Amino acid sequence: MSDDLRFDRRQLMQGSAALLMAGLAEPLWAADVSASSLKSMLGNASDKALDKLATPDGFYRDLAVRILLPGTKGKLATKLMNSGDKLGLTTKLTKSLNDAASLAAGEAKPLFRKAVDGLSWTDVPGIALKNDGATQYLRTSAGNDLQAKIKPLVTSALGKFGAFNQLGKLGKTASLLGLNNLSQDGLTDSVTQQAMNGIFSYIGKEEAGLRGNTVGVAKSVLDAVLK
């Protein structure tokens, strides 16, 4: 066997074992492995994550991913927010931001699916060995592009839910919160970034849940291949 063929076979076996560890492939000696299994898993994970976040209050009901006004974290900001809430202003605006993020998440499913299609064989070994490896890959390889494509969806959704008009009505409360100079584009950027963080957090959880329980067997196979 030539050195080139031996290297190709070893690379194939490594990738196969990695997929087996993720519960996504048949034993490496029986499979002609490609990236299709990981693409399918990541596509399903992104679909499920976006479906959950696209439901009514998908972002708002989960404090871990709830969209907040810029600069509204911390005790002072909370106190000021509560002052605004006496008039129902900040609560209404925050709800609108989250409703907009949920609408954008639902519309973003084809964008994430298209990004998933960019996964290649050379990415497989590193991806399959981590519980959120595919999610990390997607964020690293396509995160900036996805964010740029989602921003217009967020802008449209914010307008639909009246968030820009509500921001203008905050008046003195906006000034106290440091939001008086916040532009529509600045608000859109903030909501888009927070929405992306929430989406990838959910995709990572979905990915971990989709992985199989064959880690022990696959690790033995992988160890043997790497010797």
Side-chain angles (χ1 to χ4, degrees):
M1 183 182 296
S2 70
D3 291 340
D4 288 342
L5 288 175
R6 186 178 294 108
F7 176 78
D8 289 343
R9 181 174 179 273
R10 185 170 181 271
Q11 190 176 49
L12 174 63
M13 292 174 71
Q14 289 176 2
S16 302
L19 282 173
L20 182 60
M21 288 184 72
L24 300 171
E26 296 297 323
L28 79 170
W29 52 84
D32 179 12
V33 180
S34 70
S36 60
S37 294
L38 278 173
K39 284 183 180 181
S40 177
M41 180 198 67
L42 183 53
N44 289 335
S46 67
D47 281 351
K48 288 183 178 182
L50 290 166
D51 283 342
K52 288 181 179 180
L53 291 170
T55 59
D57 291 340
F59 278 92
Y60 190 76
R61 67 170 171 263
D62 187 346
L63 292 177
V65 298
R66 180 181 291 180
I67 309 297
L68 301 175
L69 281 165
T72 55
K73 295 182 180 180
K75 292 182 179 180
L76 177 59
T78 300
K79 183 177 181 180
L80 294 173
M81 285 288 286
N82 289 337
S83 297
D85 281 346
K86 292 178 181 179
L87 301 175
L89 296 176
T90 53
T91 294
K92 185 176 181 181
L93 177 54
T94 299
K95 185 66 167 57
S96 295
L97 302 184
N98 284 270
D99 289 342
S102 290
L103 177 61
E107 295 175 341
K109 285 179 66 175
L111 299 177
F112 275 80
R113 272 289 184 172
K114 185 175 181 180
V116 169
D117 288 340
L119 189 152
S120 66
W121 161 250
T122 56
D123 300 304
V124 170
I127 289 173
L129 294 175
K130 302 175 183 176
N131 281 339
D132 63 345
T135 303
Q136 290 184 31
Y137 158 80
L138 183 62
R139 184 159 201 171
T140 300
S141 63
N144 290 338
D145 185 51
L146 282 168
Q147 184 162 323
K149 291 178 178 178
I150 287 176
K151 183 178 177 179
L153 301 180
V154 173
T155 301
S156 177
L158 288 172
K160 179 177 180 179
F161 285 99
F164 297 134
N165 291 332
Q166 292 165 28
L167 178 64
K169 292 178 181 178
L170 282 178
K172 292 182 179 180
T173 301
S175 180
L176 289 171
L177 287 169
L179 300 176
N180 53 315
N181 293 321
L182 182 63
S183 65
Q184 292 187 9
D185 197 53
L187 181 62
T188 301
D189 284 340
S190 177
V191 174
T192 302
Q193 181 61 62
Q194 292 181 72
M196 290 293 289
N197 290 339
I199 289 170
F200 278 114
S201 175
Y202 266 51
I203 292 177
K205 292 177 182 177
E206 291 295 333
E207 177 187 350
L210 289 172
R211 287 174 179 268
N213 299 313
T214 56
V215 175
V217 175
K219 186 177 186 305
S220 298
V221 175
L222 184 61
D223 286 344
V225 170
L226 294 177
K227 287 182 178 180

